[in-house]
Amino acid sequence: MIETIGLIKRFGGRPALDGVDLDVPAGTVCGLLGPNGAGKTTVVRILATLLRPDGGQARVAGHDVVREAAQARRELGLAGQYAAVDEVLTGRTNLVLFGRLHRLSARRARRRADELLERFRLTAAADRPVRTYSGGMRRRLDLAASLIVAPAVLFLDEPTTGIDPGTRLEIWDIIAKLARAGTTVLLTTQYLDEADRLADQIVVLDRGRVAAAGPPLALKRSIGGARVDVVLHDPAWAAEAAAIMGGDVTVTGARLSVTSDALVRIATELAAASIEFDDIALRRPTLDEVFLHLTGSTP
């Protein structure tokens, strides 16, 4: 449903995208990650027909975004980094206006607006000016506007930036339900837990190129397996504990760490040797570590 081949874009002669390949199957969520300036928003703008590429190809729902821009636009919805709704108008009027701009009849636009207001828990505020809405309410309204014609493909450019944790969880639930219903979602985000929670596959951009791509679990496994971390009650036991843990143990004072998934064995043998520990845990690589490994920075 979303495909790019060798996508190139330059600004002032400098490459913003330098041969980006994407392949997002229907009904899945693709998380597009990368440091600031990596090219995430540029990819979204090209796919949404808002920006012309300088090279390569891009298709949305089978339509070339340059040669068949009008057909591609009929298949997609977009919620950008900043709410695109009119603050002077009411929430209901905003949605009806979006419906009419999409050539729905007045009756159908009003019906669709009512459906979305209820779905996004905005019915009680429907007839208030948007300037009175909280940040989370505006984001929900903006997302509702992007769904006014139930698009096959939805682009979400950092949809939960700057909103409270409760609203973030609500939007996560909405995105997951959309994907389960068959909508294909391309999600850019600065929150790696968001990508880990929602994405079927993740693409990491760095300096305009794809640094890595794959399911979240595969990316995490690519930088190493599980680790057992132990915090000893007394660092004097470190050498004996390291021998029990086996392998290449990293010792930092009272903290020991080894690549292993034998948590139960290690805990049992430490206890049998009367080596007391304050904490023991099995820790798997995180997306934060993958991101740092690939880009040398944090999002």
Side-chain angles (χ1 to χ4, degrees):
M1 289 296 283
I2 302 172
E3 181 185 27
T4 71
I5 303 172
L7 200 60
I8 294 172
K9 183 62 185 178
R10 302 182 184 90
F11 294 109
R14 300 181 63 181
L17 301 177
D18 191 13
V20 171
D21 296 334
L22 294 177
D23 186 1
V24 185
T28 64
V29 178
C30 177
L32 192 59
L33 309 180
N36 289 335
K40 303 185 299 295
T41 297
T42 301
V43 169
V44 171
R45 288 175 60 80
I46 289 173
L47 289 169
T49 75
L50 300 175
L51 193 65
R52 291 177 66 94
D54 294 319
Q57 295 178 315
R59 298 185 183 89
V60 173
H63 301 292
D64 187 283
V65 299
V66 175
R67 298 193 307 271
E68 303 170 294
Q71 295 94 316
R73 280 194 291 270
R74 283 195 283 269
E75 301 289 346
L76 64 87
L78 169 65
Q81 294 182 18
Y82 307 101
V85 291
D86 191 309
E87 294 191 347
V88 176
L89 302 177
T90 67
R92 188 190 309 278
T93 303
N94 264 285
L95 294 183
V96 171
L97 176 61
F98 274 95
R100 296 293 283 153
L101 289 173
H102 280 282
R103 300 182 180 178
L104 298 182
S105 68
R107 182 178 180 181
R108 177 62 182 140
R110 288 193 297 270
R111 185 185 306 124
R112 184 62 176 156
D114 289 341
E115 292 170 357
L116 290 168
L117 288 165
E118 182 175 356
R119 181 176 183 180
F120 286 84
R121 297 191 305 104
L122 291 169
T123 301
D127 297 312
R128 284 168 37 197
V130 172
R131 64 172 176 267
T132 68
Y133 285 19
S134 67
M137 292 170 68
R138 292 185 192 200
R139 291 304 291 167
R140 295 207 305 272
L141 183 65
D142 195 44
L143 187 52
S146 71
L147 297 172
I148 200 76
V149 291
V153 178
L154 180 62
F155 300 119
L156 300 176
D157 195 5
E158 300 187 10
T160 62
T161 297
I163 63 175
D164 64 90
T167 303
R168 279 183 72 202
L169 291 174
E170 291 178 358
I171 291 179
W172 288 2
D173 185 56
I174 291 166
I175 295 170
K177 287 178 178 176
L178 287 169
R180 286 197 296 270
T183 301
T184 305
V185 180
L186 182 65
L187 167 74
T188 77
T189 179
Q190 296 181 11
Y191 303 117
L192 299 188
D193 58 334
E194 184 165 276
D196 205 4
R197 169 83 169 264
L198 295 172
D200 299 289
Q201 65 167 312
I202 287 174
V203 176
V204 181
L205 291 182
D206 189 32
R207 299 178 180 88
R209 296 182 177 181
V210 175
L217 183 58
L219 290 180
K220 286 183 278 190
R221 285 175 173 168
S222 71
I223 64 167
R227 300 185 68 82
V228 175
D229 291 338
V230 179
V231 179
L232 299 175
H233 186 67
D234 185 343
W237 291 323
E240 187 178 355
I244 289 173
M245 293 171 71
D248 187 11
V249 180
T250 300
V251 180
T252 308
R255 180 179 293 275
L256 287 74
S257 182
V258 66
T259 300
S260 172
D261 59 2
L263 175 67
V264 174
R265 178 193 67 78
I266 291 172
T268 300
E269 293 186 13
L270 289 175
S274 299
I275 297 176
E276 298 179 17
F277 48 87
D278 296 331
D279 188 37
I280 185 168
L282 181 67
R283 188 175 68 83
R284 302 191 183 279
T286 66
L287 274 184
D288 296 77
E289 291 169 323
V290 172
F291 194 94
L292 182 61
H293 176 77
L294 292 171
T295 69
S297 64
T298 55

